[in-house]
């Protein structure tokens, strides 16, 4: 087991990276070049865009909590021309409403076959594996990782997902992990408009 890597190209602090035997070919390492090639970010929802908790009242109504910083990061990413898709194993009206709020049109909920949905999405978009970045947190996300050029685990992902990923984020799911990757992609493409000078002052590029 190897600890802590810092992706200096975009200041993304990366948590643990695991080494293990893998039953499939691992995707590209998360380098500036790899992130610069990304054209589509595919996200699991529970545990990635949320903290994984499912809150349900006595009427069976489900609620979820989303982080505003993750949402703003996704908006910036889409404004820069990078597409975003959500693929979730659960059906949720809250997820669909959040997607509408953010302007995400590729929303796939209640999915039993994540691999099939992902493959269809990539084919429709006419993208190569190297142009796909996926984020996950639990075992059902492994089929997504198999089709991604860059596979990312959130900091509190299960060990198997961390082992299959190129890197894991500093933040846990639902609390800024998605924002980290959005910023990393934009910085790798030279599209992040902010910088902090040595004197600590903010400047715009």
């Amino acid at each position: 087991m190897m600890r802590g890597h810092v992706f200096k190209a975009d200041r993304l602090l990366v948590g643990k990276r695991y080494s293990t035997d893998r039953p499939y070919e691992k995707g590209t390492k998360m380098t500036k070049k790899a992130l610069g090639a990304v054209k589509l970010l595919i996200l699991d929802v529970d545990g990635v865009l949320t903290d994984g908790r499912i809150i349900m009242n006595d009427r069976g109504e489900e609620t979820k909590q989303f982080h505003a910083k993750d949402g703003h990061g996704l908006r910036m990413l889409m404004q820069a021309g990078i597409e975003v898709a959500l693929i979730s194993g659960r059906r949720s009206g809250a997820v669909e409403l959040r997607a509408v709020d953010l302007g995400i049109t590729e929303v796939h909920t209640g999915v039993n076959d994540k691999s099939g949905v992902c493959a269809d999405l990539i084919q429709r978009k006419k993208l190569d594996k190297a142009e796909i970045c996926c984020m996950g947190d639990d075992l059902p996300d492994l089929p997504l990782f198999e089709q991604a050029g860059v596979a990312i685990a959130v900091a509190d992902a299960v060990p198997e997902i961390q082992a299959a990923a190129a890197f894991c984020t500093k933040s846990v799911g639902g609390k800024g992990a998605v924002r980290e990757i959005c910023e990393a992609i934009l910085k790798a493409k030279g599209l992040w408009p902010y910088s902090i000078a040595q004197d600590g002052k903010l400047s715009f590029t």
Side-chain angles (χ1 to χ4, degrees):
M1 185 181 295
M2 293 165 35
R3 294 185 178 273
H5 282 65
V6 177
F7 183 45
K8 296 181 180 179
D10 61 6
R11 298 179 184 176
L12 176 64
L13 180 63
V14 180
K16 298 177 182 177
R17 180 184 176 191
Y18 294 81
S19 175
T20 187
D21 293 331
R22 295 175 177 83
Y24 57 86
E25 182 180 354
K26 188 174 178 180
T28 308
K29 291 183 179 180
M30 195 179 72
T31 63
K32 182 177 181 181
K33 181 179 179 180
L35 286 175
V38 171
K39 295 183 179 179
L40 173 64
L41 175 62
I42 299 176
L43 304 173
D44 173 43
V45 177
D46 294 312
V48 175
L49 269 179
T50 76
D51 62 6
R53 293 182 298 168
I54 298 171
I55 304 171
M56 190 174 296
N57 63 24
D58 57 5
R59 295 185 300 276
E61 297 169 337
E62 182 179 306
T63 62
K64 296 182 186 292
Q65 292 183 327
F66 302 95
H67 203 296
K69 290 180 181 178
D70 288 339
H72 187 63
L74 290 170
R75 286 192 179 98
M76 294 182 71
L77 202 66
M78 291 184 288
Q79 288 171 359
I82 294 93
E83 295 189 79
V84 176
L86 307 181
I87 301 179
S88 176
R90 293 180 61 85
R91 293 192 181 277
S92 171
V95 171
E96 294 174 1
L97 288 172
R98 180 58 170 162
V100 170
D101 178 50
L102 295 175
I104 300 172
T105 57
E106 289 287 351
V107 185
H108 306 271
T109 61
V111 174
N112 293 321
D113 179 16
K114 286 190 175 184
S115 179
V117 172
C118 184
D120 177 70
L121 182 61
I122 294 170
Q123 184 177 21
R124 284 193 288 108
K125 301 294 182 182
K126 298 180 179 180
L127 298 173
D128 296 326
K129 182 175 181 178
E131 297 172 319
I132 309 300
C133 178
C134 288
M135 289 187 69
D137 73 304
D138 207 346
L139 299 177
D141 302 321
L142 282 174
L144 300 179
F145 281 18
E146 293 176 3
Q147 299 184 63
V150 181
I152 308 296
V154 296
D156 55 342
V158 298
E160 292 84 354
I161 285 289
Q162 293 194 36
F167 290 96
C168 68
T169 59
K170 178 182 178 182
S171 300
V172 299
K175 297 184 178 180
V178 170
R179 175 60 174 266
E180 285 185 39
I181 298 305
C182 290
E183 288 192 19
I185 293 172
L186 290 171
K187 289 174 181 178
K189 290 177 175 288
L191 299 175
W192 185 252
Y194 311 100
S195 62
I196 299 176
Q198 291 184 348
D199 60 4
K201 294 183 178 181
L202 177 67
S203 62
F204 300 88
T205 57

